[in-house]
Amino acid sequence: MSLLDLRTCNLGQEHIAHDHAHHQLILATCGSTELEVAGLGDRVTGGRGCLIPCSFHHEYEGDGCNRTLVLDVPLAAVTEMRDGEGLQRLFERPRFFTVPARLSRLATTLMAQLEQFPALHSEIAALLLRAIYLHLESEASAPAPVSRRRPLERIDIGRLDAWIDRHLAEEIRVERLAALCALSPGHFHALFRELMGITPLAHVQQRRLEHARALVRHSDLSLGHIAALVGFRDQGSFSRAYRRHFDGTPSQERRHTEATAESGASLHELRASIAPSHVLV
């Protein structure tokens, strides 16, 4: 049988973009990796895996503290394996999938076996691939659950906010946010508005301004520098947006903060200067 290449690795904080002439399965036992393939974006974690068919361009960047299983599957291996037709279906399209606890435990066990018996990596890989195939087949045949929490299930606001906060200085487009949720831009926009009551870009603007307010209040950075850090093209547009959102300019906010701090310091100094002899008994 053609060799299945299974290996453990740590995906570092480096942006990688490529494609290859083999299928690929990616799982993690800890940590996370941001990955995008064919317009789909998600994180590979202990509870989320990814299947990448051959020749599909993909990009990824790890968190630097992950333990990741990468399985390369040559095209010839698929046809040679038992139920090769089913395995071909497994890689018929790029997809992210949920990794249940039992499958995550199996991946952790197999990772330990791989490290202990590297010569058996092809056999261990075949077992892992078979387990993934059976899991996804059973998941596909199960009736779809009826749920009233459709927006909450498809959009993880905490994860989106964490991604937005890391990219405030950049242009953030709805298409990128939709890809992180594995949704089309139109579907994502509708679900997001239903969930949050505002548009995705209005939400991004709020995140920019809330971070800017913290910097205005608690740093000595110039307003121009703050504007750039949170993604405004110039200080003027930053000040106008800030005034609309907070009913005051950044300069006014900073002066008020400084005055409040000086007043508090003066009061503290006054109290400290009062000696016991000044207190009337």
Side-chain angles (χ1 to χ4, degrees):
M1 185 178 73
S2 298
L3 191 66
L4 298 174
D5 182 13
L6 179 65
R7 60 193 181 278
T8 63
C9 59
N10 178 290
L11 301 178
Q13 295 177 301
E14 178 184 7
H15 183 83
I16 304 294
H18 64 196
D19 55 61
H20 33 65
H22 54 264
H23 302 315
Q24 195 169 72
L25 164 69
I26 303 179
L27 296 174
T29 58
C30 66
S32 66
T33 296
E34 296 282 348
L35 193 150
E36 181 175 334
V37 53
L40 301 176
D42 207 332
R43 287 189 306 167
V44 174
T45 65
R48 199 81 173 145
C50 185
L51 291 164
I52 306 173
C54 71
S55 302
F56 273 82
H57 179 82
H58 51 283
E59 305 178 17
Y60 64 89
E61 182 175 337
D63 61 3
C65 57
N66 56 82
R67 293 190 74 208
T68 303
L69 276 170
V70 178
L71 171 56
D72 294 338
V73 184
L75 299 185
V78 173
T79 58
E80 293 173 10
M81 291 182 69
R82 182 164 61 93
D83 197 10
E85 183 178 344
L87 292 175
Q88 286 178 348
R89 292 198 305 272
L90 187 66
F91 289 101
E92 66 184 0
R93 59 183 173 85
R95 55 175 154 169
F96 293 90
F97 60 91
T98 299
V99 179
R102 56 184 174 78
L103 192 54
S104 181
R105 289 193 296 269
L106 175 62
T108 300
T109 300
L110 292 179
M111 179 179 283
Q113 293 295 313
L114 179 63
E115 293 172 348
Q116 188 173 359
F117 305 105
L120 298 178
H121 75 282
S122 191
E123 289 79 3
I124 294 172
L127 177 59
L128 177 62
L129 193 60
R130 181 70 180 169
I132 296 292
Y133 167 68
L134 291 175
H135 162 62
L136 293 179
E137 283 291 295
S138 64
E139 191 176 65
S141 62
V146 178
S147 173
R148 298 179 181 277
R149 300 178 63 230
R150 175 171 52 93
L152 293 177
E153 291 174 347
R154 299 303 300 273
I155 297 179
D156 184 338
I157 292 298
R159 185 166 71 86
L160 279 179
D161 283 348
W163 187 90
I164 290 168
D165 293 350
R166 294 196 303 271
H167 297 82
L168 286 176
E170 307 166 17
E171 180 184 13
I172 299 176
R173 301 178 62 84
V174 171
E175 291 82 356
R176 185 67 180 94
L177 299 178
L180 291 172
C181 300
L183 294 167
S184 69
H187 194 194
F188 170 80
H189 191 282
L191 290 181
F192 190 98
R193 187 157 192 167
E194 181 180 346
L195 178 63
M196 299 297 291
I198 58 176
T199 67
L201 291 185
H203 181 74
V204 170
Q205 184 84 326
Q206 285 187 2
R207 301 295 297 181
R208 294 190 195 279
L209 291 170
E210 291 294 343
H211 280 266
R213 190 178 211 182
L215 292 172
V216 167
R217 287 178 168 180
H218 304 298
S219 81
D220 295 323
L221 297 174
S222 70
L223 298 182
H225 191 182
I226 292 174
L229 287 176
V230 298
F232 287 87
R233 64 180 183 274
D234 55 57
Q235 186 175 334
S237 60
F238 167 57
S239 295
R240 289 190 294 274
Y242 198 102
R243 183 172 61 249
R244 286 194 299 270
H245 193 69
F246 296 119
D247 295 322
T249 66
S251 300
Q252 291 170 336
E253 179 95 32
R254 177 160 280 179
R255 285 195 296 269
H256 175 73
T257 300
E258 291 171 348
T260 301
E262 290 173 0
S263 174
S266 299
L267 181 59
H268 177 74
E269 292 168 0
L270 177 62
R271 287 172 174 167
S273 68
I274 299 178
S277 57
H278 296 142
V279 179
L280 296 177
V281 179

